[in-house]
Coordinates of all heavy atoms in Angstrom, one line a residue:
L1006 N 17.0 11.1 -0.3 CA 15.7 11.6 0.1 C 15.0 12.1 -1.2 O 13.8 12.0 -1.3 CB 15.8 12.7 1.2 CG 16.2 12.2 2.5 CD1 16.2 13.4 3.5 CD2 15.4 11.1 3.1
I1007 N 15.8 12.8 -2.0 CA 15.2 13.3 -3.3 C 14.7 12.2 -4.2 O 13.6 12.2 -4.7 CB 16.3 14.2 -4.0 CG1 16.6 15.5 -3.3 CG2 15.8 14.5 -5.5 CD1 17.7 16.3 -3.8
L1008 N 15.5 11.1 -4.2 CA 15.1 9.9 -5.0 C 13.8 9.4 -4.4 O 12.9 9.0 -5.1 CB 16.2 8.9 -5.0 CG 15.8 7.5 -5.6 CD1 15.4 7.7 -7.1 CD2 16.9 6.5 -5.4
G1009 N 13.7 9.4 -3.1 CA 12.5 8.9 -2.4 C 11.3 9.7 -2.8 O 10.2 9.1 -2.9
I1010 N 11.4 11.0 -3.1 CA 10.3 11.8 -3.5 C 9.8 11.3 -4.9 O 8.6 11.2 -5.2 CB 10.6 13.3 -3.5 CG1 10.9 13.7 -2.1 CG2 9.5 14.1 -4.2 CD1 11.4 15.1 -2.0
F1011 N 10.8 11.1 -5.8 CA 10.5 10.5 -7.2 C 9.8 9.2 -7.0 O 8.8 8.9 -7.7 CB 11.7 10.4 -8.0 CG 12.2 11.6 -8.7 CD1 13.2 12.4 -8.2 CD2 11.6 11.9 -9.9 CE1 13.5 13.6 -8.9 CE2 12.0 13.1 -10.6 CZ 13.0 13.9 -10.1
L1012 N 10.3 8.3 -6.2 CA 9.7 7.0 -6.0 C 8.3 7.1 -5.4 O 7.5 6.2 -5.6 CB 10.6 6.1 -5.1 CG 12.0 5.8 -5.6 CD1 12.7 5.0 -4.6 CD2 12.0 5.2 -6.9
G1013 N 8.0 8.2 -4.7 CA 6.6 8.4 -4.2 C 5.6 8.4 -5.3 O 4.4 8.0 -5.1
M1014 N 6.0 8.8 -6.5 CA 5.0 8.8 -7.6 C 4.6 7.4 -8.0 O 3.5 7.1 -8.4 CB 5.6 9.5 -8.9 CG 4.7 9.6 -10.0 SD 3.1 10.5 -9.7 CE 3.7 12.2 -9.8
A1015 N 5.5 6.4 -7.7 CA 5.1 5.0 -7.9 C 4.1 4.6 -6.9 O 3.2 3.8 -7.2 CB 6.4 4.1 -7.8
G1016 N 4.2 5.1 -5.7 CA 3.2 4.8 -4.7 C 1.8 5.4 -5.0 O 0.8 4.9 -4.7
A1017 N 1.8 6.5 -5.8 CA 0.6 7.2 -6.2 C -0.2 6.3 -7.2 O -1.3 6.7 -7.6 CB 0.9 8.5 -6.7
S1018 N 0.5 5.3 -7.8 CA -0.2 4.4 -8.7 C -1.5 3.8 -8.2 O -2.4 3.4 -8.9 CB 0.7 3.3 -9.2 OG 1.1 2.5 -8.0
F1019 N -1.6 3.7 -6.9 CA -2.8 3.3 -6.2 C -4.0 4.0 -6.7 O -5.1 3.5 -6.9 CB -2.6 3.5 -4.7 CG -3.7 3.1 -3.8 CD1 -3.7 1.8 -3.2 CD2 -4.8 3.9 -3.5 CE1 -4.7 1.4 -2.4 CE2 -5.8 3.5 -2.7 CZ -5.8 2.2 -2.1
A1020 N -3.9 5.4 -6.9 CA -5.0 6.2 -7.3 C -5.3 6.0 -8.8 O -6.3 6.5 -9.2 CB -4.7 7.7 -7.0
V1021 N -4.5 5.3 -9.5 CA -4.8 4.9 -10.9 C -5.4 3.5 -11.0 O -6.4 3.3 -11.6 CB -3.5 5.0 -11.7 CG1 -3.7 4.5 -13.1 CG2 -2.9 6.4 -11.8
A1022 N -4.7 2.6 -10.4 CA -5.1 1.2 -10.6 C -6.5 0.9 -10.1 O -7.2 0.1 -10.7 CB -4.0 0.3 -9.9
L1023 N -6.8 1.4 -8.9 CA -8.1 1.0 -8.3 C -9.3 1.6 -9.0 O -10.3 0.9 -9.3 CB -8.1 1.4 -6.8 CG -7.6 0.2 -5.9 CD1 -6.2 -0.2 -6.2 CD2 -7.8 0.5 -4.5
P1024 N -9.3 2.9 -9.4 CA -10.4 3.4 -10.2 C -10.5 2.8 -11.6 O -11.6 2.5 -12.1 CB -10.1 4.9 -10.3 CG -9.2 5.2 -9.2 CD -8.4 4.0 -9.0
L1025 N -9.3 2.5 -12.2 CA -9.3 1.8 -13.5 C -10.0 0.5 -13.4 O -10.8 0.2 -14.4 CB -7.8 1.6 -13.9 CG -7.6 1.0 -15.3 CD1 -8.0 1.9 -16.4 CD2 -6.1 0.6 -15.4
A1026 N -9.8 -0.3 -12.4 CA -10.5 -1.5 -12.3 C -11.9 -1.4 -11.8 O -12.9 -2.0 -12.3 CB -9.7 -2.4 -11.3
S1027 N -12.1 -0.5 -10.7 CA -13.4 -0.4 -10.1 C -14.5 0.0 -11.0 O -15.6 -0.5 -10.9 CB -13.3 0.6 -8.9 OG -14.5 0.9 -8.4
R1028 N -14.3 0.9 -11.9 CA -15.3 1.5 -12.7 C -15.9 0.5 -13.7 O -17.0 0.7 -14.3 CB -14.8 2.7 -13.4 CG -14.6 3.9 -12.5 CD -13.9 5.0 -13.2 NE -13.7 6.2 -12.3 CZ -12.9 7.2 -12.6 NH1 -12.3 7.3 -13.7 NH2 -12.9 8.2 -11.7
W1029 N -15.3 -0.7 -13.8 CA -15.8 -1.7 -14.7 C -16.7 -2.7 -14.0 O -17.4 -3.5 -14.7 CB -14.6 -2.5 -15.4 CG -14.0 -1.8 -16.5 CD1 -12.8 -1.1 -16.5 CD2 -14.4 -1.7 -17.9 NE1 -12.5 -0.6 -17.7 CE2 -13.5 -1.0 -18.6 CE3 -15.6 -2.2 -18.5 CZ2 -13.6 -0.7 -20.0 CZ3 -15.7 -1.9 -19.9 CH2 -14.8 -1.2 -20.6
Y1030 N -16.8 -2.7 -12.7 CA -17.6 -3.7 -12.0 C -18.7 -3.1 -11.1 O -18.6 -2.1 -10.6 CB -16.6 -4.5 -11.1 CG -15.6 -5.3 -11.9 CD1 -14.4 -4.8 -12.4 CD2 -15.9 -6.6 -12.3 CE1 -13.6 -5.5 -13.2 CE2 -15.1 -7.4 -13.0 CZ -13.9 -6.8 -13.5 OH -13.0 -7.5 -14.3
P1031 N -19.8 -3.9 -11.0 CA -21.0 -3.5 -10.2 C -20.6 -3.6 -8.7 O -19.7 -4.2 -8.3 CB -22.1 -4.5 -10.6 CG -21.3 -5.7 -11.1 CD -20.1 -5.2 -11.7
A1032 N -21.5 -3.0 -7.9 CA -21.3 -2.9 -6.5 C -21.0 -4.3 -5.8 O -20.2 -4.4 -4.9 CB -22.5 -2.2 -5.8

Side-chain angles (χ1 to χ4, degrees):
L1006 293 182
I1007 292 172
L1008 174 62
I1010 295 173
F1011 275 99
L1012 297 181
M1014 184 58 81
S1018 63
F1019 182 95
V1021 172
L1023 269 64
L1025 182 67
S1027 172
R1028 289 170 178 171
W1029 280 102
Y1030 291 86

